Amino acid sequence: MVKVLSRRSVQGLLEFKTELILISKIQHVNLVKVLGFCIHGDEKMIIYDYMPNKSLDFFFFCPAKRELLIWDTRFTIIEGIAQGLLYLHKYSRLRIIHRDLKASNILLDEKMNPKISNFGMAKIFKQNVIEANTNKCAGTYGYMAPEYAMQGIYSIKSDVYSFGVLVLEIVSGRKNNSFQNEEGPLNLVEYAWELWSNNAAIEVMDPMLKSSRSRIDQLKRCIHVGLLCLENHATDRPTIEDVISMLKNEMMPLPMPNCPAFVTRNSTVYELENGKSEKFSANGLSMSAIDGR
């Protein structure tokens, strides 16, 4: 599989170098493996292992393909993404914050094993550093944690928020921003919270999973864990290590989630930790930076 960086991106070379440096230092079954790279004039390419099933968004959001995926396969993908994040956050030689975890950056091999890709926006943390601040936010609206989108604060909990969005997308088979042309909720996060608040969380489930009723408790648990990952305040979100424990141990009690931060159709207000409100417009835009590096 070949990734070609855009000629028009002024950040292309920096992202290219960042990805090569990071991916060459880390190895895990749920991370992409780089085979080589090429720079020729304005052309910059990275060669990965071949991924016959392309990316998660291509597979899950195509109805003809999505209906082939039973729940067990989806759960394996959720768990695999979590294991890849755990390695990045805790067990690799470098503590890495991905900062752009989204469906199109999850590649799928021939056995549908997930591989986290695209480390061009990633940041390295020292082991004793908890969070950092930047005025050069990078990532994709809809997957970005509120404290990062609004205040430039990022940490391992930023990736946890993005993971929560991914979990809801995998369970529902819908993109987070697929509600924009409908009445009611503006995005999947708001939709899932409304159903949860009305004791109808199972309605988030992809209709194509109705044959998976025998695994309904596990499916409900994934929705619950996904909402916990979407907590408004970063300190209230679980670590990815906690997430894996909650997913694997079905006897482990789960705390009740609080209302996540999201943009509604009638209001674009995020409630921040200092009690003030600021406006933020969300869409499906993916960007290398809000401000120039």
Side-chain angles (χ1 to χ4, degrees):
M1 182 170 181
V2 178
K3 172 184 175 181
V4 181
L5 278 73
S6 172
R7 294 182 181 183
R8 294 174 294 177
S9 173
V10 296
Q11 304 302 327
L13 185 57
L14 177 60
E15 294 167 9
F16 183 83
K17 290 180 178 179
T18 299
E19 183 156 10
L20 284 176
I21 290 170
L22 287 180
I23 205 66
S24 66
K25 295 179 181 291
I26 54 178
Q27 289 188 355
H28 188 271
V29 67
N30 295 118
L31 304 179
V32 293
K33 181 180 179 181
V34 169
L35 302 179
F37 67 93
C38 176
I39 301 177
H40 181 72
D42 292 333
E43 296 283 356
K44 295 176 283 290
M45 293 179 285
I46 300 177
I47 298 93
Y48 296 125
D49 277 338
Y50 176 59
M51 297 292 160
N53 285 309
K54 301 185 180 181
S55 62
L56 186 60
D57 63 337
F58 174 84
F59 205 95
F60 276 98
F61 307 134
C62 172
K65 292 181 174 293
R66 199 173 81 241
E67 66 180 356
L68 302 176
L69 291 176
I70 61 174
W71 170 246
D72 287 349
T73 302
R74 300 193 194 203
F75 184 77
T76 298
I77 291 172
I78 291 172
E79 187 178 23
I81 297 170
Q83 292 288 354
L85 277 182
L86 177 62
Y87 175 80
L88 294 176
H89 290 177
K90 185 173 182 179
Y91 293 118
S92 71
R93 290 180 292 172
L94 308 170
R95 175 179 285 184
I96 297 170
I97 314 300
H98 189 279
R99 294 205 305 166
D100 199 21
L101 192 70
K102 58 182 178 180
S104 60
N105 285 339
I106 305 298
L107 305 183
L108 300 168
D109 68 11
E110 69 281 358
K111 296 182 179 179
M112 296 302 294
N113 295 311
K115 311 278 186 177
I116 299 174
S117 70
N118 196 351
F119 289 81
M121 310 295 179
K123 289 290 186 180
I124 300 173
F125 270 27
K126 295 180 180 178
Q127 290 298 325
N128 61 340
V129 174
I130 299 176
E131 65 179 28
N133 190 289
T134 181
N135 60 355
K136 305 170 184 175
C137 293
T140 304
Y141 287 128
Y143 292 91
M144 295 171 70
E147 72 278 0
Y148 181 48
M150 299 295 297
Q151 300 167 296
I153 298 172
Y154 62 94
S155 67
I156 58 174
K157 298 295 186 72
S158 308
D159 283 350
V160 169
Y161 183 94
S162 303
F163 175 79
V165 177
L166 274 173
V167 170
L168 294 184
E169 289 185 329
I170 292 169
V171 170
S172 67
R174 299 189 66 172
K175 292 184 179 181
N176 188 38
N177 63 0
S178 65
F179 293 73
Q180 292 180 5
N181 296 323
E182 302 177 11
E183 295 296 327
L186 183 63
N187 53 45
L188 179 59
V189 174
E190 182 185 0
Y191 175 66
W193 178 253
E194 284 188 1
L195 291 175
W196 174 272
S197 300
N198 293 316
N199 296 316
I202 195 59
E203 293 182 25
V204 174
M205 179 183 72
D206 188 342
M208 293 181 181
L209 292 174
K210 287 184 177 180
S211 61
S212 303
R213 289 289 178 180
S214 62
R215 309 306 299 271
I216 203 71
D217 289 341
Q218 188 180 62
L219 196 149
K220 287 181 178 178
R221 193 173 186 86
C222 284
I223 297 171
H224 193 156
V225 171
L227 288 172
L228 289 173
C229 293
L230 295 168
E231 291 275 7
N232 189 6
H233 302 283
T235 54
D236 294 333
R237 295 173 211 143
T239 64
I240 202 65
E241 187 173 18
D242 293 334
V243 165
I244 292 172
S245 296
M246 290 187 286
L247 291 174
K248 283 189 169 183
N249 184 359
E250 296 186 1
M251 301 302 294
M252 181 180 178
L254 302 181
M256 288 296 104
N258 296 306
C259 180
F262 51 74
V263 178
T264 70
R265 193 171 298 279
N266 298 318
S267 173
T268 55
V269 176
Y270 273 107
E271 183 182 342
L272 302 179
E273 292 185 21
N274 58 12
K276 295 189 295 185
S277 294
E278 294 188 20
K279 299 219 171 181
F280 175 70
S281 176
N283 53 45
L285 176 66
S286 179
M287 64 213 165
S288 62
I290 293 177
D291 297 313
R293 292 177 192 265

